[in-house]
Amino acid sequence: GSGTRGDGAGGGGGTAANGAPPPSSGPSAEGRPTGNVRLELAEAIFDEKKKKKDKKSSKDKSKDKKRSKKSSSKEDSESQFRIGAKRVVVVSRSTTVKDLLRQSKSKLKLKKVPARAFVARGRAVLDLEEGDDLSGLDDGSVVHVTFSVPDAGDAGGEPSDGEEEEEGDDFDPLDAVKAAYRVESTVRYRNRQRRDAGARGRRTPETFDAGRREAFAATRRRLPVHALREDILRSVAENAVTVLSGTTGSGKSTQTPQFILEADGEADRRRPYIVVTQPRRVAAVSLARRVAEERGCPAPGKSGSGVGYIVRGDRRADLRSCRIIFVTIGVLLRMLVNDGGDGGAGGQTQDIDGSEEDDTPPPLTIHTISHLILDETHERDVSTDFALTLLRSMLASSSSPSGRKRHVPRLVLMSATASSEMFVDYLTVAGRAPSAIDVPGRIFPVATNWLRDCEGKARRAMDGKLSSFSPGGGEGRSRSDETATGDGDAAGLSPRARERIDDGFVVALIDRIVRDDRSKDGGGAAATGSGAILVFLPGAGEIESLAGAMKKSPGGGVGVCDVVKLHSGVPSRDQERAFRPPREGRVKVVLSTNIAETSVTIPDITHVIDTCRVKESRYNPSTRIRELTTVWTSRASMTQRAGRAGRTSGGTCWRLCPEDFAMEGMLDQTAPEMVRTPLDELILQILLLFEQRRDEQRMAVGCDGTKNHPPPPGARPLKFLSMTPTPPPERSLAQACRHLLDVEAVRTV
């Protein structure tokens, strides 16, 4: 209904198209809408049985269609249902839809409370959710209430018999869908304007506990990245782009934004924000809380906190005092699409709300960010590649002598495994190459044990260990052989892992690790909360299977283990259990997907069991189906996983594969997601992103599509994909475009 998306990121500005929101609809200082709105309540009566329409000749139908195009939206919407009682009411904008439904019973003299409220726009119907307020509605809006939910055909204005078979340039079967999308986008845009205007009060300084900040100072100085603090700050100040490469445990994710903040001193009032992106929401949330704790300030989102985070469905950033904001890559991508093409939703590049003398913080857009830090870029997901493409175009535009000068944030790319050469080559614009800095490795040593050592530790052999581990056959066969057998794997992709994980072997290994640690320390390891075990598994199904196997083995070392599951399907409050110390006398065992491979830090991990497998999305061209497949991970990811055991003390990594297979049968780096995704899906994603941008700009500048106010330009997906870090082959792009045209998903490409 009228709610905003969590990835909205505040893009689009804080004022309406005419320069300021209506006086009656302004929000309070707390962001709650104030003032009143005049509405027309109308009872909508849907007929239970559809009336059969007489068949007409094609000539009559064509005339009726042209006549209906000229009719008003009111007549079009009223043709879907009958209007009963009507009443004009004046209510507060803070009134919820649920309260409005209760009031409509007495206002319209109905027998009971209506079950549904909606707004009709032409043939489109936009339902209002009960928890929403009325801040997204204008004065004079007609709100329909009804007791029943109509069929899809009644609500959408389904064409009559034979009408949908008629072809013509003046008929679009998606008219109703597009109209509903425009209405929802308008409501979302206005709500975001009012929300941002309410959240942006007067600036307040960051509040912090000096004792807590000083307590963490010694820990921060011991991190390897601290020795390069001055080098990093000098590179960021002198170069538009800095590429920072450092292995796990260097502290770059938490320390780099703090270095920049501490060196800046008094912030630029027009561009005060330092934004750090993360590939996953759990990483963004946990890092924001960690940085807030190190700085001794309140929790993210609290008044006076200098740290915040924005992820889908959860926004905790008080812009009045916030300087460091952690976001997911999707939030940044939305800001870039809405603001990156023409310099903002309103087409402005330098005009930012709030001047040097103004005490009002500006909204969070790409133009109010002083430094932009992209973390974990080595994962190379589609959103990261899209964001890099848009940022490179902004760099090229600002470097061109004939181009329009636009503000581009200082970019810092951070990677744990990938070499910096690829990013340096890609982001070299106008002869200006980025600066590259290598950070030393982890703090504590990590011992690595391969499959033979694991079997000796567990005192049993692992089931499913076939000759397939040899680089020439089975699971380790070449990727060209896999493609020839119809698996649909292209060259450069990880080999598939076909054998199931032996849960009994993993349970036996955990049992021996716990027994040996407790015997060495006389139970002290478990009692003090150290010695936690992290097990990397490919997916949620394997996590549930191993958790069930551990539950069936209650004795021995497994009997003192507390199992914690960590994957994207686990609620946030349950994910936090992985970061808490275990109960006294217990050992924490975290069963996780590769979500714990990147910025997420579980401090008490001393043992990592790596199954060396991961779930990857693959496209099978022979069946034209996208599959979620278990494959062998890359050597770079194995190094990243091993580093989880050396964060606070020396650790051990147990890898469930032979060393020779890892060296000869696995890839050096994980293949980018773009080469594993169907190209027609990528094209549709680009079109969708830029369609959202067009709608935002239409609403911001009051565009009506006429000659005087033409719509903003859309996307050219072929050109866009050709500028990505890993461009797809032109032949494959042409084939994907032909497929989209054949199925009428697009009209032109």
Side-chain angles (χ1 to χ4, degrees):
S2 60
T4 62
R5 283 181 54 181
D7 285 353
T15 59
N18 60 359
S24 62
S25 60
S28 64
E30 294 80 13
R32 188 171 180 82
T34 60
N36 298 328
V37 59
R38 181 177 58 85
L39 303 175
E40 181 179 353
L41 286 178
E43 179 188 8
I45 304 173
F46 291 89
D47 295 331
E48 295 182 0
K49 297 182 179 180
K50 295 182 179 180
K51 297 181 180 180
K52 295 184 178 180
K53 299 180 181 180
D54 298 333
K55 293 185 178 180
K56 302 179 181 180
S57 64
S58 59
K59 187 179 296 184
D60 293 336
K61 280 195 257 184
S62 178
K63 292 180 180 179
D64 291 343
K65 246 189 265 186
K66 292 180 180 178
R67 191 179 302 116
S68 64
K69 291 277 185 179
K70 300 178 182 178
S71 63
S72 65
S73 59
K74 181 177 180 181
E75 293 172 349
D76 197 5
S77 61
E78 288 187 354
S79 64
Q80 304 172 31
F81 46 80
R82 292 188 294 109
I83 299 297
K86 293 183 180 180
R87 179 82 179 267
V88 176
V89 297
V90 178
V91 295
S92 171
R93 288 187 179 274
S94 61
T95 304
T96 63
V97 175
K98 186 175 182 180
D99 292 337
L100 183 65
L101 288 172
R102 292 174 180 170
Q103 295 181 24
S104 63
K105 176 185 176 183
S106 58
K107 299 291 185 182
L108 301 179
K109 299 182 179 180
L110 305 176
K111 294 183 179 180
K112 58 181 181 179
V113 178
R116 171 177 171 242
F118 63 90
V119 178
R121 294 287 190 274
R123 298 174 58 144
V125 171
L126 176 64
D127 282 295
L128 304 178
E129 297 182 6
E130 290 188 352
D132 293 339
D133 55 39
L134 306 180
S135 58
L137 299 178
D138 295 327
D139 282 337
S141 299
V142 180
V143 178
H144 301 85
V145 295
T146 183
F147 299 102
S148 60
V149 179
D151 295 333
D154 295 334
E158 187 175 327
S160 59
D161 297 338
E163 185 177 352
E164 60 185 7
E165 298 179 0
E166 183 181 350
E167 297 182 356
D169 294 337
D170 59 344
F171 174 68
D172 186 353
L174 297 179
D175 273 341
V177 177
K178 293 179 179 178
Y181 176 77
R182 286 193 294 269
V183 171
E184 184 176 359
S185 298
T186 303
V187 173
R188 192 166 59 235
Y189 176 76
R190 290 173 178 169
N191 281 338
R192 185 162 66 247
Q193 283 185 319
R194 295 186 176 105
R195 180 199 65 194
D196 291 343
R200 291 164 51 205
R202 297 180 65 84
R203 299 174 195 264
T204 58
E206 178 187 18
T207 60
F208 61 91
D209 185 337
R212 285 174 53 197
R213 180 177 291 189
E214 185 61 29
F216 279 99
T219 303
R220 293 180 57 195
R221 284 192 292 267
R222 287 196 298 267
L223 293 172
V225 72
H226 191 272
L228 299 175
R229 181 180 185 273
E230 297 303 323
D231 295 338
I232 294 173
L233 292 176
R234 187 182 307 109
S235 175
V236 171
E238 296 175 356
N239 299 275
V241 182
T242 300
V243 180
L244 200 61
S245 299
T247 56
T248 300
S250 60
K252 59 187 182 303
S253 298
T254 57
Q255 302 309 307
T256 303
Q258 295 190 70
F259 291 163
I260 297 173
L261 177 59
E262 293 164 355
D264 273 357
E266 186 67 23
D268 182 357
R269 290 179 176 270
R270 296 175 54 138
R271 300 183 179 95
Y273 307 120
I274 301 170
V275 172
V276 187
T277 68
Q278 293 295 327
R280 298 176 182 86
R281 57 180 296 159
V282 63
V285 173
S286 62
L287 282 174
R289 291 172 177 169
R290 173 66 183 182
V291 172
E293 189 177 4
E294 289 185 357
R295 297 192 59 76
C297 63
K302 300 293 185 180
S303 178
S305 176
V307 184
Y309 66 83
I310 301 175
V311 298
R312 183 166 187 173
D314 192 6
R315 177 190 175 107
R316 301 193 182 184
D318 186 355
L319 299 185
R320 296 172 297 179
S321 59
C322 196
R323 294 290 311 281
I324 300 176
I325 304 177
F326 289 85
V327 302
T328 52
I329 193 67
V331 174
L332 172 66
L333 185 59
R334 184 171 178 84
M335 280 195 285
L336 289 171
V337 169
N338 288 341
D339 293 340
D342 287 329
Q348 300 174 355
T349 59
Q350 301 297 335
D351 295 335
I352 304 172
D353 291 343
S355 62
E356 292 293 338
E357 295 78 14
D358 191 4
D359 205 27
T360 301
L364 178 61
T365 69
I366 193 63
H367 306 292
T368 59
I369 298 173
S370 62
H371 297 79
L372 178 59
I373 303 174
L374 278 70
D375 199 5
E376 308 299 346
T377 53
H378 64 275
E379 293 201 4
R380 295 293 305 280
D381 58 290
V382 170
S383 297
T384 298
D385 279 1
F386 282 180
L388 287 174
T389 305
L390 292 170
L391 288 170
R392 188 181 186 278
S393 66
M394 293 176 64
L395 289 170
S397 176
S398 62
S399 301
S400 175
S402 59
R404 181 175 52 182
K405 296 301 180 182
R406 302 162 54 194
H407 167 71
V408 181
R410 295 285 181 174
L411 300 181
V412 180
L413 274 63
M414 299 195 299
S415 173
T417 59
S419 59
S420 60
E421 286 79 6
M422 190 279 294
F423 298 109
V424 171
D425 294 341
Y426 180 70
L427 293 175
T428 298
V429 178
R432 299 174 59 185
S435 172
I437 299 177
D438 291 328
V439 182
R442 63 180 67 90
I443 314 172
F444 299 98
V446 176
T448 301
N449 297 298
W450 298 93
L451 180 59
R452 182 175 297 180
D453 303 317
C454 296
E455 290 179 333
K457 183 77 169 180
R459 300 179 183 179
R460 54 160 289 186
M462 186 176 72
D463 294 339
K465 183 185 63 174
L466 307 174
S467 60
S468 56
F469 274 132
S470 62
E475 295 186 11
R477 66 188 179 189
S478 66
R479 289 177 292 280
S480 59
D481 293 337
E482 289 191 1
T483 306
T485 56
D487 285 338
D489 290 345
L493 299 184
S494 299
R496 302 195 181 201
R498 291 174 176 79
E499 298 297 330
R500 291 179 57 87
I501 297 174
D502 185 0
D503 291 338
F505 179 81
V506 179
V507 172
L509 182 59
I510 293 174
D511 180 76
R512 294 310 310 175
I513 291 173
V514 175
R515 285 174 181 266
D516 291 350
D517 283 357
R518 291 169 68 87
S519 63
K520 288 179 182 178
D521 300 332
T528 57
S530 61
I533 302 173
L534 173 61
V535 185
F536 281 103
L537 296 159
E542 290 81 1
I543 289 177
E544 296 295 336
S545 177
L546 182 57
M550 293 185 66
K551 188 178 294 185
K552 294 178 182 178
S553 304
V558 179
V560 298
C561 293
D562 289 334
V563 178
V564 180
K565 303 171 187 176
L566 186 62
H567 55 85
S568 59
V570 177
S572 299
R573 61 180 180 277
D574 295 335
Q575 290 178 354
E576 294 177 2
R577 292 182 53 207
F579 307 99
R580 301 171 186 165
R583 295 175 292 170
E584 184 177 357
R586 308 286 292 182
V587 177
K588 180 172 63 177
V589 178
V590 181
L591 310 182
S592 174
T593 60
N594 62 345
I595 195 173
E597 183 179 314
T598 54
S599 300
V600 173
T601 300
I602 304 175
D604 52 353
I605 297 295
T606 57
H607 292 275
V608 168
I609 299 177
D610 187 4
T611 61
C612 306
R613 294 168 171 88
V614 68
K615 292 279 189 182
E616 273 190 1
S617 179
R618 294 279 182 89
Y619 176 64
N620 192 328
S622 60
T623 60
R624 301 188 70 87
I625 294 176
R626 188 171 181 174
E627 307 167 339
L628 191 62
T629 308
T630 302
V631 301
W632 294 105
T633 189
S634 64
R635 289 191 291 272
S637 293
M638 293 172 64
T639 303
Q640 179 84 337
R641 294 179 178 187
R644 300 291 104 180
R647 301 307 295 262
T648 57
S649 64
T652 307
C653 178
W654 307 85
R655 291 173 175 166
L656 304 188
C657 72
E659 184 177 5
D660 56 349
F661 172 74
M663 296 299 107
E664 301 178 23
M666 293 184 180
L667 298 179
D668 291 333
Q669 304 285 342
T670 303
E673 186 182 6
M674 188 167 291
V675 304
R676 299 183 276 110
T677 304
L679 292 181
D680 48 2
E681 182 177 323
L682 288 177
I683 293 173
L684 290 176
Q685 288 184 27
I686 296 170
L687 292 173
L688 176 60
L689 286 172
F690 279 83
E691 185 69 21
Q692 293 173 351
R693 170 178 163 244
R694 286 162 60 98
D695 289 339
E696 295 279 353
Q697 291 181 340
R698 282 194 185 101
M699 289 178 287
V701 302
C703 171
D704 55 9
T706 62
K707 183 177 181 180
N708 294 330
H709 298 281
R716 288 182 286 179
L718 298 186
K719 180 180 178 181
F720 185 87
L721 286 174
S722 66
M723 298 187 299
T724 56
T726 308
E730 293 184 2
R731 182 177 178 182
S732 301
L733 280 174
Q735 180 182 359
C737 291
R738 283 195 298 269
H739 177 250
L740 291 175
L741 292 171
D742 291 342
V743 300
E744 298 182 355
V746 295
R747 292 180 178 177
T748 58
V749 179

